[in-house]
Amino acid sequence: MTLYIDKINNYIKALDTETLMALEGISSDKKYKKGDLLLQQNEICGKSFLLIDGIARKYYLNDGKEITTELYFENDLAVSFDSYTLQQPSREFIEALTDVSVSITHYRAFEEAKARFPKLVHLDLMFVEHYGMWVENRLFQFHTMTATERYLDILKKSPHIVQTVPLTIIASYLGISLETLSRIRAKI
Amino acid sequence: MTLYIDKINNYIKALDTETLMALEGISSDKKYKKGDLLLQQNEICGKSFLLIDGIARKYYLNDGKEITTELYFENDLAVSFDSYTLQQPSREFIEALTDVSVSITHYRAFEEAKARFPKLVHLDLMFVEHYGMWVENRLFQFHTMTATERYLDILKKSPHIVQTVPLTIIASYLGISLETLSRIRAKI
DNA sequence: CGACATATTGAGATCCATCAACCAATGTGG
DNA sequence: CCACATTGGTTGATGGATCTCAATATGTCG
């Protein structure tokens, strides 16, 4: 999976100058403070956010509780996938967990660029394929692993999460209560 | 979500004749008997299967148990997503639950067609977007709903599943034991 | 320091898995 | 056409995993 990220990066590097220029031309940098919302619920996700620095998360409300669906670090691409794809109101929020700086690309601008530079369609495809495999893997974990196994998996593959993100958020990301996560940690 | 299927179908219908011919030229029909495997574990998923008729499923083995990950009906596209995308050995099997007839497209042929007809890249993107949203929604269900709620959701949105697929398979698709599913059904 | 967010711990309830016994429908070889 | 195996489903008893509610730390920041 990490390999696929490399493949995407290599693809970008190998783009012709014109296409690269087009990409750069439609991106702009912006900074957010800790706690800021990059995307509100019910807002249409009309931008993608490439994290340059900081930590962010995506979450939604279920029975008044925040359920974290994704955590973003440096070089991750933050969007509400279905809202972005269908250009429909988002169920999800995107929130800065620390001060963050991002590179923003507008949906419209990217669509127009894709129409003019076909290689960007292929790039888009690669992004979506990568996300699809990531979600599939996460579903796999919920389908077959216990809470403890899921936590250990994070500890092993993404220790930076445990070091930087509050347990309350990690618990909701794992689909368990804060108390259960606390007990899992006490036991290992 | 059903709307997106319509959008994809409309996109296909609106393709120019040349592109459409190319698509047809790389597809061929085939029939399988109930119980046949369309894809074996460890095999590289080098084909996509468009179900014309019958029922199939995708599953993998976990601790010797079969975990069903997707059910396919008429007009569904069956592939092991990560195996197809990365052209790596598949964890999953694809099995015919009834006699099925499918339209097969080879990965290589589709890649070559995409290179010659850019509109097919966009079509591929739409397929993957659709699958991504489908998986995201399924993950959402595992993340927040109880077994009973997940079953009721299937009953409501996909009653044909309950009418045609053995409970053993539905249970593994829901991520619960056959006994629990049986009890859920007895209670409602 | 005081206040608010974050984390731990305990007790009881609930959901779900497992193991085991049983039942019904279907199909197959003799 | 019968006897028996196989597949698919139900039901009961028990235990483990996890939730919820509540009380109690432990920060951390103005």
Side-chain angles (χ1 to χ4, degrees), chain B residues 62-188:
Chain B
N62 190 260
D63 289 340
K65 274 180 211 155
E66 298 179 357
I67 309 281
T68 300
T69 50
E70 195 169 1
L71 295 166
Y72 302 108
F73 296 86
E74 209 176 306
N75 289 321
D76 286 340
L77 192 60
V79 290
S80 173
F81 183 66
D82 59 346
S83 172
Y84 184 89
T85 302
L86 303 175
Q87 287 295 292
Q88 284 181 2
S90 170
R91 287 175 302 184
E92 300 170 300
F93 299 80
I94 298 178
E95 179 195 24
L97 292 179
T98 63
D99 289 0
V100 298
S101 56
V102 297
S103 170
I104 296 182
T105 305
H106 285 262
Y107 173 85
R108 268 272 120 253
F110 190 51
E111 287 299 305
E112 283 160 16
K114 284 201 295 186
R116 282 187 297 138
F117 302 94
K119 281 177 186 165
L120 294 182
V121 182
H122 189 245
L123 178 61
D124 196 4
L125 176 59
M126 292 172 93
F127 282 137
V128 177
E129 282 173 343
H130 181 261
Y131 181 70
M133 290 187 283
W134 180 84
V135 181
E136 219 184 28
N137 185 58
R138 215 165 123 68
L139 176 59
F140 165 83
Q141 296 193 1
F142 273 85
H143 208 154
T144 58
M145 292 160 74
T146 65
T148 304
E149 288 169 333
R150 292 203 296 280
Y151 178 70
L152 288 176
D153 196 72
I154 281 192
L155 258 194
K156 193 172 111 197
K157 293 184 192 154
S158 318
H160 55 290
I161 290 182
V162 183
Q163 288 151 19
T164 55
V165 178
L167 293 187
T168 310
I169 290 177
I170 295 178
S172 86
Y173 181 69
L174 289 171
I176 59 179
S177 67
L178 171 62
E179 294 92 325
T180 297
L181 177 56
S182 185
R183 281 185 257 265
I184 287 173
R185 285 162 56 87
K187 216 183 296 173
I188 54 177

Side-chain angles (χ1 to χ4, degrees), chain A residues 11-31:
Chain A
Y11 185 83
I12 294 175
K13 272 180 211 146
L15 285 174
D16 54 286
T17 326
E18 253 190 310
T19 309
L20 265 177
M21 295 282 282
L23 250 190
E24 274 178 34
I26 58 174
S27 304
S28 60
D29 289 359
K30 185 164 176 183
K31 287 177 189 302

Side-chain angles (χ1 to χ4, degrees), chain B residues 28-32 47 49-50 52-53 100-104:
Chain B
S28 60
D29 290 1
K30 187 165 174 182
K31 288 177 190 301
Y32 290 89
K47 320 179 183 86
F49 304 91
L50 178 65
I52 297 170
D53 195 51
V100 298
S101 56
V102 297
S103 170
I104 296 182

